[in-house]
Amino acid sequence: MQQTIVNKIMKVDPRDGKLAMANIYVAFIALLVGGLAGLLQVLVRSGQFTLPWGIGYYQVLTVHGILLGLILTTYFIMGFQVAAISRTVGPLTNTQRKIGWIGFWCMTIGTVAAATMVLLNEATVLYTFYAPLKAHWIFYLGLTLVVVGSWLLIVPQFMRYIAWRKEHKGETSPLLAFMVTVNNLLWFVATLGVATEVLFILLPWSLGLVERVDVLLTRTLFWYFGHALVYFWLLPAYMAWYTIVPKILGAKIFSDALARLSFMLFLIFSVPVGIHHQLTEPGISGLWKFIQVVLTFFVIVPSLITAFSMFATFELRGRQLGSKGLLGWFKALPWKDSRFLLPFMGMVAFIPGGAGGIVNASYQMNQLVHNTIWITGHFHLTVATTVALTFFGVAFWLIPHLTGRVLTPKLNFLGVITGILWATGMFIMSSAMHIVGLLSGAPRRSEYSEYGGATQAIEWIPYQIAQAVGGTILFIAILLITYVVIQLAFFAPKGEQDFPLAELSPGAEKTPAILENFKVWGVILVALIIFAYTIPIFDIIQNAPPGSKGFNNLW
Amino acid sequence: MHLHKYEKWWLVFGTGTLIAFLIILGIGAFHSGSHPNNSRKTIDYERVEDFEPFNNPGVHKVEGKDWDYEVVLIASAFNYNPAEIELPLNAKVKFIATTKDVIHGFQATGTNINMMLEPGYISEYTTVVNKTGEYLIVCNEYCGTGHAYMYSKLKVVDPNAANDSE
Ligand code: HEM
Ligand SMILES: [Cu+2]
Ligand SMILES: [Cu+2]
C-alpha cells in the first residue's frame, strides 16, 4: 500500500495511460490504411497496375497524405506527450483528463467526417486542399474538428506543466515535460494559421456563404502552418533522442541547457519561414521570400547542437564501456535493441534528409526541385523515416508500459527486422525519387502517365519501378509492425516495461533560468512572426486580384 | 552554460558555413538577378483573353526589350495554350503565363523553368535557352483527374543546324 506513495513518479498513471493508448491505436490504424494507400500509389505509378472499382489515384493519394502526414503524426504525438507529462510532472487531474478525452473524440469525429468525404470522392483535394479546388463542406468541418480537438488535448498538458512549475518554484522543470510544452506551444501558434484558413475562409466558401476566396491568402496561411507542422513532427523525435535514447544506452543527458536552447531555437525559427514553400509562386516579393529563406536557415543551428549532443552521448558512453580507438565506441552500442536501433537509423536518415532540405530552401535552387518527386523523396526521409522510425522505437516500450506488458526478446527481434526492412525499402524508394526528381524533373503528385511518349517520361519509368520495389518492402514492414503493436497491446506477457528516462549527470550545472522563460521566448517568436509576415500578408490583401470561385468538378 | 571545446568549434564552423552560403545565395539573387518567379501582376482569371498579352497566346519575337522573345501562355484544366513552344538556341526569353481556373504548374523538365500559375496572378520568368533539345513541359501541381495528362513541349532548335537537315 505504502509503495504507491513514492516520491518519484516512475510510471505513467494508468488513467492517463488509457488516454495515451487511445491516441496510439488511432495512429497505428492510420499507418496501416495509409500504408496500403502508399502501396497502391507505387504500384499504379509503376505502370503495371490499375485501381479497381473506379477508385481514383488522387483519392488514394489524399487518403495517404491525410492519414500519414496529419493523422498518424498528430495522434502518436498526443499519445506520447500525454504519457510523457504524466510520467515526468505527474498524473493529470480528473478535469484535465476529461478535457483530453473530449479532445480525442473531437479529433476522431473530425477524422471520420473528413475521411468519409474523401471516400465518397467529395474531397479529392490532397492533404494540402489548395483552393480553388473546393471540397465538400463536411471535409473542412472535419479538419476544423481535428485542429480544435488537438487543442483540447494539449490544454491538459499545459495545465499540468504550469501546475508543476507553481508547485516547484525555483526548480528546473523536467527536461521532457519542458520539451513537450515547447512543442505544444509551437503547435498552437502554427495551427492558428490553418484554423483561420479553414474556419473563416474555406468553410464559409464551401457552404456557399461567400462566393469567392483569395487563393494566395489561403496558401500563405496554409504554409504559415505547414512548415511549423514539420517541426511539430520532428520535435517529439528529438525528445526521444535527448531524453530516452541515452537511458537505453545507460548514459546521462549530455547537456540539459543545450537541449533546452535547441528547442527554444526550433520554436522561434519554425513559424516565420513558411514562405519558403512558395518560392516559385507569383504575388510575393523576392525580398520577403529571401528574408524567410534566411530565417529558415537558422534552424540549422539547433540541428547542429542536436547532432553534436547525440554523437557526444554515443561516444562518451562507448568509452565508458571500455571501447578504444577512434570508432571503437561505435561497436559498443546496443545494436540489437530495437528501442535504440530504430531511432538511430532515424538519426542517420536525417543527415541526407537535412541536406536535401537545404537544397529545397535555397531560393533560386528551389526551381530545380519544386514539385518534383525529389520533394517526395525528401520528406519520406525526414518524416517517414527519421520521425516514423523514432516513433516506432518509442512505441516498442511505450505501448507495453501503458498496457502492463513487456517487450519480449522475440517481439524485439521483430522490431529490429521491421527497422531493417524499413531502412532498405526507404533507401530504394527515396533514392529513386531523389535521383529522377533532381536530374530530370519528374513531377510529384502524378499518376502513371507516358506524357504522349516523350523521351524524358519514358526514362522515368525504371525509377518508378524501383519506387514500387522499395514501396512494397515498406508495406511489408508496416504489416510486421502492425503485428508487433497488436502483440504489445493485447497479447504480450504481463509485466512491467520500463519508461526509460535519462537523468542529468550528478555534477551537471544548473540550467540558466532564461531557457525556461516562456514569456521571453514567446515574445521573440511573436515578434519574428510579425516581422516576417506582416508586409507579405498586407501586400497580398492590398494587391488582391478578383477572388476565385470554387471548382469541384475536376475530379 | 558550458560548451565543450569541440562543440564550440563545430557550431562556429557550422554557423560560419551557413552564413557564407546565405551570402552566396543573396549575391546570386540580388546582384546577378537570379530570382524565381516573383511577379506581382494581377488579372481577372475569368476573362484572361480580354487582356494583353493573353489575347494573343503564343511565341512572339519582340524588339526593344531586355529579352528577344516572349512566350505568352494560358493554362487551364487540362491543357496549355500554345500546345507547343519553339525557340531558337540562345534566345533570351520571357515566359508570361497565367491560369483560367485552378492552380497549375509550369515546368520544363530538366531545366530551371519552373513556376506556379495561380488564378488572378501573372507568372513571369526570364531565362536564356542555351541547350538544344525537346523538353517535356509538365503541370506539376495537382489540378484534377487529368493532371498527369496535362503537358506540352518546349523545342529549342539551332537555326543553323535546322537548315542542313531540310
Ligand atoms: C508503405 C509505405 C509508403 C509508401 C509506399 C509511400 C509512397 C508514397 C508515394 C509514391 C508518394 C507520392 C505520390 C505522388 O506524388 O504521386 C507519397 C506521398 C506522400 N507520403 Fe508516402 N509512402 C509511404 C509511407 C509514408 C509515411 C510513413 C508517411 C508519413 C509519416 C508518408 C507521407 C507522405 C506524404 C505526406 C505524401 C504527400 C502526399 C501529397 O503529395 O499530397 N508516406 N508516398
Ligand atoms: Cu518547409
Ligand atoms: Cu496539374
Side-chain angles (χ1 to χ4, degrees):
Chain A
M1 280 276 101
Q2 288 293 29
Q3 270 170 335
T4 50
I5 325 173
V6 278
N7 245 336
K8 224 162 159 191
I9 320 147
M10 295 301 287
K11 279 187 66 94
V12 175
D13 185 281
R15 293 162 299 172
D16 298 336
K18 278 214 182 86
L19 177 57
M21 273 313 291
N23 282 279
I24 292 173
Y25 289 134
V26 179
F28 280 98
I29 295 169
L31 176 68
L32 184 62
V33 180
L36 179 64
L39 177 68
L40 295 176
Q41 285 153 218
V42 286
L43 294 180
V44 168
R45 286 168 48 84
S46 74
Q48 310 291 317
F49 174 81
T50 40
L51 291 166
W53 311 310
I55 301 173
Y57 177 83
Y58 301 103
Q59 211 179 344
V60 174
L61 185 57
T62 307
V63 169
H64 183 77
I66 291 188
L67 283 187
L68 297 177
L70 304 176
I71 300 304
L72 159 73
T73 46
T74 308
Y75 275 91
F76 188 86
I77 291 167
M78 288 304 152
F80 173 51
Q81 292 190 163
V82 164
I85 286 288
S86 181
R87 165 74 167 78
T88 52
V89 287
L92 303 178
T93 64
N94 289 338
T95 322
Q96 289 166 358
R97 198 174 304 112
K98 200 167 278 162
I99 300 174
W101 275 110
I102 296 172
F104 170 81
W105 284 113
C106 186
M107 284 216 306
T108 307
I109 292 168
T111 305
V112 171
T116 310
M117 289 301 119
V118 176
L119 294 181
L120 294 175
N121 204 19
E122 294 283 348
T124 304
V125 292
L126 307 190
Y127 84 109
T128 44
F129 47 88
Y130 292 143
L133 291 173
K134 185 166 81 176
H136 196 282
W137 62 270
I138 294 181
F139 174 78
Y140 300 114
L141 182 69
L143 294 180
T144 310
L145 289 176
V146 171
V147 172
V148 173
S150 73
W151 288 345
L152 292 174
L153 263 160
I154 64 177
V155 164
Q157 302 171 43
F158 274 136
M159 288 168 78
R160 187 57 218 137
Y161 179 76
I162 294 167
W164 189 98
R165 293 272 300 256
K166 288 221 176 85
E167 292 155 14
H168 299 77
K169 279 243 155 41
E171 285 180 44
T172 311
S173 64
L175 181 57
L176 182 55
F178 164 86
M179 290 172 153
V180 166
T181 307
V182 172
N183 200 35
N184 284 336
L185 191 61
L186 185 159
W187 178 246
F188 180 71
V189 173
T191 44
L192 286 177
V194 73
T196 310
E197 180 199 3
V198 176
L199 195 58
F200 295 115
I201 304 179
L202 299 181
L203 192 57
W205 176 61
S206 62
L207 282 167
L209 300 177
V210 292
E211 194 192 10
R212 291 168 188 271
V213 287
D214 183 333
V215 169
L216 188 56
L217 183 63
T218 57
R219 288 175 64 81
T220 306
L221 287 170
F222 183 85
W223 284 113
Y224 164 99
F225 154 77
H227 188 74
L229 172 69
V230 311
Y231 286 109
F232 170 73
W233 299 333
L234 196 58
L235 290 190
Y238 280 22
M239 294 177 202
W241 299 359
Y242 273 110
T243 69
I244 286 157
V245 167
K247 177 72 177 184
I248 294 170
L249 301 179
K252 304 277 183 214
I253 290 174
F254 176 69
S255 163
D256 181 84
L258 276 175
R260 285 178 213 251
L261 176 64
S262 78
F263 266 60
M264 285 305 197
L265 292 176
F266 274 121
L267 174 68
I268 62 173
F269 290 119
S270 58
V271 185
V273 297
I275 288 180
H276 73 225
H277 287 260
Q278 301 177 278
L279 295 176
T280 67
E281 63 192 87
I284 303 175
S285 83
L287 179 67
W288 286 97
K289 287 182 182 174
F290 195 79
I291 288 173
Q292 292 217 5
V293 164
V294 172
L295 289 171
T296 304
F297 276 98
F298 280 101
V299 295
I300 292 176
V301 176
S303 311
L304 291 175
I305 297 179
T306 306
F308 190 92
S309 304
M310 290 310 114
F311 285 92
T313 308
F314 298 158
E315 192 193 338
L316 288 176
R317 181 61 187 155
R319 298 220 186 278
Q320 263 178 11
L321 292 175
S323 52
K324 305 219 168 49
L326 195 59
L327 289 173
W329 54 272
F330 194 75
K331 283 198 214 112
L333 297 173
W335 297 111
K336 289 181 184 150
D337 187 336
S338 63
R339 301 170 308 159
F340 167 73
L341 179 68
L342 274 70
F344 181 86
M345 293 195 294
M347 292 176 200
V348 173
F350 207 62
I351 299 170
I358 293 178
V359 172
N360 302 343
S362 294
Y363 196 57
Q364 50 291 64
M365 244 190 262
N366 177 263
Q367 293 174 106
L368 205 53
V369 294
H370 179 73
N371 273 352
T372 68
I373 198 82
W374 153 284
I375 301 294
T376 316
H378 163 71
F379 60 68
H380 280 82
L381 280 184
T382 50
V383 62
T385 306
T386 300
V387 173
L389 284 183
T390 304
F391 286 2
F392 298 162
V394 167
F396 292 149
W397 55 262
L398 182 60
I399 296 176
H401 178 86
L402 298 176
T403 55
R405 299 178 189 275
V406 286
L407 176 66
T408 61
K410 183 182 151 230
L411 290 173
N412 176 58
F413 176 72
L414 289 179
V416 168
I417 300 291
T418 315
I420 294 171
L421 282 176
W422 195 278
T424 313
M426 199 55 95
F427 179 76
I428 298 172
M429 184 172 95
S430 161
S431 304
M433 288 172 162
H434 273 98
I435 295 170
V436 72
L438 182 68
L439 298 184
S440 86
R444 68 182 282 202
R445 300 187 145 178
S446 297
E447 65 177 310
Y448 181 76
S449 166
E450 289 169 7
Y451 296 93
T455 16
Q456 273 164 312
I458 303 304
E459 288 164 11
W460 298 341
I461 294 173
Y463 292 92
Q464 282 155 206
I465 293 177
Q467 290 163 33
V469 172
T472 307
I473 299 174
L474 276 169
F475 186 68
I476 296 171
I478 290 181
L479 291 179
L480 201 54
I481 194 156
T482 308
Y483 173 79
V484 174
V485 166
I486 292 174
Q487 288 293 320
L488 290 173
F490 305 109
F491 304 109
K494 295 259 183 212
E496 295 245 335
Q497 177 77 38
D498 184 33
F499 186 128
L501 190 58
E503 288 164 10
L504 297 182
S505 357
E509 298 173 56
K510 186 162 163 40
T511 299
I514 180 78
L515 291 176
E516 284 219 297
N517 192 327
F518 280 91
K519 282 203 194 92
V520 170
W521 294 93
V523 168
I524 299 177
L525 169 65
V526 172
L528 278 175
I529 293 173
I530 292 175
F531 164 68
Y533 270 108
T534 309
I535 294 180
I537 291 200
F538 182 78
D539 266 1
I540 289 170
I541 295 173
Q542 185 81 1
N543 300 330
S548 278
K549 290 184 181 164
F551 291 82
N552 58 4
N553 55 351
L554 292 176
W555 65 81
Chain B
M1 192 172 62
H2 168 78
L3 278 184
H4 192 280
K5 183 174 67 183
Y6 292 142
E7 172 137 39
K8 261 185 218 150
W9 293 354
W10 166 250
L11 287 179
V12 167
F13 172 76
T15 316
T17 319
L18 161 67
I19 291 170
F21 184 67
L22 281 172
I23 291 173
I24 295 171
L25 287 184
I27 292 176
F30 296 96
H31 184 73
S32 318
S34 153
H35 288 282
N37 160 36
N38 286 334
S39 160
R40 309 205 11 237
K41 296 178 188 150
T42 58
I43 190 168
D44 181 344
Y45 79 94
E46 287 172 308
R47 307 184 5 231
V48 294
E49 278 120 341
D50 294 352
F51 302 99
E52 294 255 1
F54 298 103
N55 51 1
N56 186 16
V59 181
H60 310 297
K61 177 124 182 65
V62 295
E63 303 289 336
K65 297 191 177 171
D66 262 357
W67 48 88
D68 318 316
Y69 284 86
E70 284 180 356
V71 174
V72 177
L73 181 130
I74 303 174
S76 58
F78 302 102
N79 55 62
Y80 294 106
N81 177 17
E84 211 175 283
I85 299 166
E86 189 173 311
L87 290 167
L89 181 64
N90 291 326
K92 185 162 184 189
V93 49
K94 181 169 188 172
F95 291 89
I96 307 172
T98 194
T99 162
K100 288 206 286 190
D101 42 50
V102 291
I103 299 173
H104 296 283
F106 178 80
Q107 180 191 15
T109 58
T111 75
N112 251 345
I113 304 163
N114 187 356
M115 54 192 188
M116 305 284 292
L117 312 181
E118 296 179 13
Y121 290 90
I122 300 172
S123 290
E124 297 180 337
Y125 184 65
T126 309
T127 190
V128 176
V129 286
N130 54 14
K131 252 183 83 186
T132 53
E134 282 194 9
Y135 299 90
L136 172 63
I137 292 174
V138 295
C139 174
N140 64 8
E141 185 55 86
Y142 169 67
C143 52
T145 327
H147 165 61
Y149 303 97
M150 178 163 170
Y151 55 88
S152 80
K153 203 182 280 175
L154 167 64
K155 283 189 187 163
V156 180
V157 293
D158 186 341
N160 308 320
N163 289 338
D164 299 343
S165 63
E166 288 291 313

